[in-house]
Coordinates of all heavy atoms in Angstrom, one line a residue:
M1 N -160.8 42.3 -128.7 CA -160.0 43.4 -128.9 C -160.5 44.1 -130.2 O -161.0 43.4 -131.1 CB -158.5 42.9 -129.3 CG -157.5 43.9 -128.9 SD -155.8 43.3 -129.4 CE -155.6 41.9 -128.4
Q2 N -160.6 45.4 -130.1 CA -161.2 46.2 -131.2 C -160.4 47.4 -131.5 O -159.9 48.1 -130.6 CB -162.7 46.6 -130.9 CG -163.3 47.2 -132.0 CD -164.8 47.4 -131.8 OE1 -165.4 46.6 -131.0 NE2 -165.3 48.5 -132.2
F3 N -160.1 47.6 -132.9 CA -159.2 48.7 -133.3 C -160.1 49.4 -134.3 O -160.8 48.9 -135.1 CB -157.9 48.2 -134.1 CG -157.0 47.5 -133.1 CD1 -157.0 46.1 -133.1 CD2 -156.2 48.1 -132.4 CE1 -156.1 45.4 -132.4 CE2 -155.2 47.4 -131.5 CZ -155.2 46.1 -131.5
S4 N -160.0 50.8 -134.3 CA -160.7 51.6 -135.3 C -159.7 52.6 -135.8 O -159.0 53.2 -135.1 CB -161.8 52.4 -134.4 OG -162.8 52.9 -135.3
V5 N -159.6 52.5 -137.2 CA -158.7 53.3 -137.9 C -159.3 54.1 -138.9 O -160.3 53.6 -139.5 CB -157.5 52.5 -138.4 CG1 -156.6 51.9 -137.4 CG2 -158.0 51.4 -139.4
S6 N -158.8 55.4 -139.4 CA -159.6 56.3 -140.2 C -158.9 56.3 -141.6 O -159.5 57.1 -142.3 CB -159.5 57.6 -139.5 OG -158.1 58.0 -139.2
N7 N -158.0 55.6 -141.9 CA -157.5 55.6 -143.3 C -156.9 54.3 -143.6 O -156.5 53.5 -142.8 CB -156.6 56.8 -143.5 CG -155.3 56.8 -142.7 OD1 -154.5 55.9 -142.8 ND2 -155.2 57.8 -141.9
A8 N -156.6 54.1 -144.9 CA -156.1 52.8 -145.5 C -154.7 52.5 -145.0 O -154.3 51.5 -144.8 CB -156.1 52.9 -147.1
E9 N -153.9 53.7 -144.8 CA -152.5 53.5 -144.5 C -152.5 52.8 -143.1 O -151.7 51.9 -142.7 CB -151.8 54.8 -144.4 CG -150.3 54.7 -144.2 CD -149.6 56.1 -144.2 OE1 -150.1 57.0 -145.1 OE2 -148.7 56.3 -143.5
L10 N -153.3 53.3 -142.1 CA -153.5 52.7 -140.7 C -154.0 51.3 -140.7 O -153.5 50.4 -139.9 CB -154.2 53.5 -139.9 CG -153.7 55.0 -139.6 CD1 -154.6 55.9 -138.8 CD2 -152.3 54.8 -138.7
T11 N -154.9 51.1 -141.7 CA -155.4 49.6 -141.9 C -154.2 48.7 -142.1 O -154.1 47.6 -141.6 CB -156.3 49.5 -143.0 OG1 -157.5 50.4 -142.7 CG2 -157.0 48.1 -143.2
Q12 N -153.4 49.1 -143.0 CA -152.2 48.3 -143.4 C -151.2 48.3 -142.3 O -150.6 47.1 -142.1 CB -151.5 48.9 -144.6 CG -152.3 48.8 -145.9 CD -151.5 48.9 -147.2 OE1 -150.4 48.7 -147.2 NE2 -152.2 49.2 -148.3
K13 N -151.0 49.3 -141.6 CA -150.1 49.3 -140.4 C -150.5 48.3 -139.3 O -149.7 47.6 -138.8 CB -150.0 50.7 -139.8 CG -149.0 51.6 -140.6 CD -148.1 52.5 -139.7 CE -146.9 53.1 -140.5 NZ -147.4 54.5 -140.8
I14 N -151.8 48.3 -139.0 CA -152.3 47.4 -138.0 C -152.0 45.9 -138.6 O -151.6 45.1 -137.7 CB -153.8 47.7 -137.8 CG1 -153.9 48.8 -137.0 CG2 -154.4 46.4 -137.1 CD1 -155.0 48.9 -135.9
A15 N -152.3 45.7 -139.8 CA -152.2 44.3 -140.3 C -150.7 43.9 -140.3 O -150.5 42.7 -140.0 CB -152.8 44.3 -141.7
E16 N -149.8 44.9 -140.6 CA -148.5 44.6 -140.5 C -148.0 44.2 -139.3 O -147.2 43.2 -139.0 CB -147.7 45.8 -141.0 CG -146.3 45.6 -141.6 CD -145.7 46.8 -142.2 OE1 -146.5 47.7 -142.7 OE2 -144.4 46.9 -142.3
K17 N -148.5 44.9 -138.2 CA -148.2 44.6 -136.8 C -148.7 43.2 -136.4 O -148.0 42.4 -135.8 CB -148.6 45.6 -135.9 CG -147.8 46.9 -136.0 CD -147.9 47.9 -134.9 CE -147.1 49.0 -135.1 NZ -147.0 50.0 -134.1
L18 N -149.9 43.0 -136.8 CA -150.5 41.6 -136.5 C -149.7 40.6 -137.1 O -149.5 39.5 -136.4 CB -152.0 41.6 -137.0 CG -152.7 40.3 -136.8 CD1 -152.9 39.9 -135.5 CD2 -154.0 40.2 -137.7
A19 N -149.3 40.7 -138.3 CA -148.4 39.7 -139.0 C -147.2 39.2 -138.2 O -146.9 38.0 -138.1 CB -148.0 40.2 -140.4
K20 N -146.7 40.2 -137.5 CA -145.4 39.8 -136.7 C -145.8 38.9 -135.5 O -144.9 38.2 -135.0 CB -144.8 41.0 -136.1 CG -144.7 42.2 -137.1 CD -143.4 42.0 -137.9 CE -143.0 43.3 -138.8 NZ -142.3 42.9 -140.0
A21 N -147.0 38.9 -135.2 CA -147.4 38.1 -134.0 C -148.0 36.7 -134.3 O -148.5 36.0 -133.5 CB -148.5 38.9 -133.1
L22 N -148.1 36.5 -135.7 CA -148.8 35.3 -136.2 C -147.9 34.1 -136.0 O -146.6 34.2 -136.0 CB -149.2 35.5 -137.5 CG -150.3 36.3 -137.9 CD1 -150.7 36.5 -139.4 CD2 -151.6 35.9 -137.2
H23 N -148.4 32.9 -136.0 CA -147.6 31.7 -135.9 C -148.1 30.7 -137.1 O -149.3 30.9 -137.5 CB -147.8 30.9 -134.6 CG -147.3 31.7 -133.4 ND1 -148.3 32.4 -132.7 CD2 -146.1 31.9 -132.8 CE1 -147.5 33.1 -131.7 NE2 -146.3 32.7 -131.9
A24 N -147.2 29.9 -137.6 CA -147.7 28.9 -138.5 C -148.9 28.2 -138.2 O -149.2 27.9 -137.2 CB -146.5 27.9 -138.8
G25 N -149.8 28.2 -139.2 CA -151.2 27.6 -139.0 C -152.3 28.4 -138.5 O -153.4 28.0 -138.5
D26 N -151.9 29.7 -138.0 CA -152.9 30.6 -137.6 C -153.9 30.9 -138.8 O -153.4 30.9 -140.0 CB -152.3 31.9 -137.2 CG -151.8 31.8 -135.7 OD1 -151.9 30.9 -135.1 OD2 -150.9 32.8 -135.4
V27 N -155.1 31.1 -138.5 CA -156.1 31.3 -139.6 C -156.8 32.7 -139.3 O -157.1 33.0 -138.1 CB -157.2 30.3 -139.7 CG1 -158.3 30.7 -140.6 CG2 -156.6 29.0 -140.0
I28 N -156.9 33.6 -140.3 CA -157.5 34.9 -140.2 C -158.7 34.9 -141.0 O -158.7 34.6 -142.2 CB -156.6 36.0 -140.5 CG1 -155.4 36.0 -139.5 CG2 -157.3 37.3 -140.4 CD1 -154.3 37.1 -140.0
L29 N -159.8 35.3 -140.4 CA -161.1 35.4 -141.2 C -161.3 36.9 -141.5 O -161.4 37.8 -140.5 CB -162.3 34.8 -140.5 CG -163.7 35.2 -141.1 CD1 -163.9 34.6 -142.5 CD2 -164.8 34.8 -140.1
L30 N -161.5 37.4 -142.7 CA -161.7 38.7 -143.1 C -163.2 38.9 -143.4 O -163.6 38.3 -144.5 CB -160.9 39.3 -144.2 CG -159.4 39.2 -144.0 CD1 -158.6 39.7 -145.1 CD2 -159.0 40.1 -142.7
D31 N -164.0 39.5 -142.6 CA -165.4 39.6 -142.8 C -165.9 41.1 -143.0 O -165.6 41.9 -142.1 CB -166.1 39.0 -141.5 CG -167.5 39.0 -141.6 OD1 -168.1 39.0 -142.7 OD2 -168.2 39.1 -140.5
G32 N -166.4 41.3 -144.2 CA -166.8 42.7 -144.5 C -167.3 42.8 -145.9 O -166.9 42.1 -146.8
D33 N -168.2 43.8 -146.1 CA -168.8 44.0 -147.5 C -167.7 44.4 -148.5 O -166.6 44.8 -148.0 CB -169.9 45.1 -147.4 CG -171.1 44.5 -146.6 OD1 -171.4 43.4 -146.6 OD2 -171.8 45.4 -146.1
L34 N -168.0 44.5 -149.7 CA -167.2 45.0 -150.8 C -166.8 46.5 -150.3 O -167.6 47.2 -149.9 CB -168.0 45.1 -152.1 CG -167.2 45.5 -153.3 CD1 -166.0 44.5 -153.6 CD2 -168.0 45.7 -154.4
G35 N -165.5 46.7 -150.2 CA -165.1 48.0 -149.9 C -164.7 48.3 -148.4 O -164.5 49.4 -147.9
A36 N -164.9 47.3 -147.6 CA -164.7 47.3 -146.2 C -163.2 47.4 -145.9 O -162.9 47.9 -144.8 CB -165.2 46.1 -145.5
G37 N -162.3 47.0 -146.8 CA -160.9 47.1 -146.5 C -160.1 45.8 -146.3 O -159.1 45.8 -145.9
K38 N -160.8 44.7 -146.7 CA -160.2 43.5 -146.7 C -158.9 43.3 -147.5 O -157.8 42.8 -146.9 CB -161.1 42.3 -147.1 CG -162.4 42.4 -146.4 CD -163.3 41.2 -146.8 CE -163.8 41.4 -148.3 NZ -164.6 42.6 -148.5
T39 N -158.9 43.8 -148.8 CA -157.7 43.7 -149.5 C -156.6 44.6 -149.0 O -155.4 44.4 -148.9 CB -158.1 44.1 -151.0 OG1 -158.8 43.1 -151.5 CG2 -156.7 44.1 -151.9
T40 N -157.0 45.8 -148.6 CA -156.0 46.8 -148.0 C -155.4 46.2 -146.8 O -154.1 46.1 -146.6 CB -156.7 48.0 -147.4 OG1 -157.5 48.6 -148.6 CG2 -155.8 49.1 -146.9
F41 N -156.1 45.3 -145.9 CA -155.6 44.8 -144.8 C -154.6 43.6 -145.2 O -153.5 43.5 -144.5 CB -156.8 44.1 -143.9 CG -156.4 43.5 -142.7 CD1 -156.5 44.3 -141.5 CD2 -156.1 42.1 -142.6 CE1 -156.1 43.7 -140.3 CE2 -155.8 41.7 -141.4 CZ -155.8 42.4 -140.1
T42 N -155.0 42.9 -146.2 CA -154.2 41.8 -146.7 C -152.8 42.2 -147.2 O -151.9 41.6 -147.0 CB -154.9 41.0 -147.7 OG1 -156.2 40.5 -147.1 CG2 -154.1 39.7 -148.2
K43 N -152.9 43.4 -147.8 CA -151.6 44.0 -148.3 C -150.6 44.3 -147.2 O -149.5 44.0 -147.3 CB -151.8 45.3 -149.1 CG -152.4 44.9 -150.5 CD -152.7 46.4 -151.2 CE -153.4 46.3 -152.5 NZ -153.8 47.5 -153.0
G44 N -151.2 44.8 -146.1 CA -150.4 45.2 -144.9 C -149.7 43.8 -144.2 O -148.7 43.7 -143.9
L45 N -150.7 42.8 -144.2 CA -150.4 41.6 -143.7 C -149.2 40.9 -144.4 O -148.3 40.4 -143.9 CB -151.6 40.7 -143.6 CG -151.6 39.5 -142.7 CD1 -151.8 39.9 -141.2 CD2 -152.6 38.5 -143.0
A46 N -149.3 40.9 -145.7 CA -148.3 40.3 -146.6 C -146.9 41.0 -146.4 O -146.0 40.5 -146.4 CB -148.7 40.5 -148.1
R47 N -147.0 42.3 -146.3 CA -145.8 43.2 -146.0 C -145.1 42.7 -144.8 O -144.0 42.5 -144.6 CB -146.1 44.7 -146.1 CG -144.8 45.5 -146.0 CD -144.9 47.0 -146.0 NE -145.7 47.4 -147.2 CZ -146.8 48.2 -147.1 NH1 -147.2 48.6 -146.0 NH2 -147.5 48.5 -148.2
G48 N -146.0 42.6 -143.7 CA -145.6 42.1 -142.4 C -144.9 40.7 -142.3 O -144.1 40.4 -141.6
L49 N -145.4 39.9 -143.3 CA -144.9 38.6 -143.5 C -143.6 38.5 -144.2 O -143.0 37.5 -144.4 CB -146.0 37.6 -144.0 CG -147.2 37.4 -143.1 CD1 -148.2 36.5 -143.9 CD2 -146.7 36.6 -141.8
G50 N -143.3 39.6 -144.8 CA -142.1 39.8 -145.7 C -142.4 39.4 -147.2 O -141.4 39.0 -147.9
Ligands
LIG1 N1 -159.6 52.3 -142.4 C1 -160.0 52.8 -143.6 N2 -160.5 54.1 -143.7 C2 -160.9 54.6 -144.8 N3 -160.8 54.0 -146.0 C3 -160.2 52.8 -146.0 C4 -159.7 52.2 -144.8 N4 -159.1 51.0 -145.2 C5 -159.3 50.9 -146.6 N5 -159.8 51.9 -147.1 C6 -160.1 52.2 -148.5 O1 -161.4 51.6 -148.8 C7 -161.4 51.1 -150.2 C8 -161.7 49.7 -150.2 O2 -160.8 48.9 -149.6 P1 -160.5 47.4 -150.2 O3 -159.3 46.9 -149.3 O4 -160.4 47.4 -151.6 O5 -161.9 46.7 -149.7 P2 -162.4 45.1 -149.9 O6 -161.1 44.3 -150.3 O7 -162.9 44.7 -148.6 O8 -163.4 45.3 -151.0 C9 -159.9 51.5 -150.7 O9 -160.0 52.7 -151.5 C10 -159.1 51.7 -149.4 O10 -158.1 52.5 -149.6
LIG2 MG1 -160.8 43.2 -152.0

């Protein structure tokens, strides 16, 4: 599955949606250079987890 988004807000939205589908013990690997959007993604994920 591949998603392409054009701004930071959408990066967070995707992560927020993914968070709702996670189960205890799931592991996510964030792979990308500095500035790739890992922290942005994590912020959205944290919001999705409450
Ligand atoms: N999908 C995107 N399109 C364009 N810019 C983005 C996207 N996602 C994040 N950014 C921006 O890229 C910059 C670096 O993001 P950041 O999450 O700090 O990267 P990392 O943690 O991987 O170093 C930030 O200014 C962020 O707002
Ligand atoms: Mg970072």
Side-chain angles (χ1 to χ4, degrees):
M1 208 183 298
Q2 187 170 326
F3 297 97
S4 202
V5 291
S6 54
N7 63 59
E9 193 180 320
L10 289 174
T11 299
Q12 290 201 21
K13 281 226 169 89
I14 285 216
E16 198 172 337
K17 288 195 177 185
L18 175 69
K20 313 275 188 210
L22 292 178
H23 300 98
D26 284 351
V27 176
I28 297 174
L29 170 66
L30 298 177
D31 180 27
D33 289 338
L34 186 67
K38 302 179 298 293
T39 296
T40 305
F41 187 91
T42 302
K43 285 178 184 171
L45 200 74
R47 186 179 307 129
L49 292 171

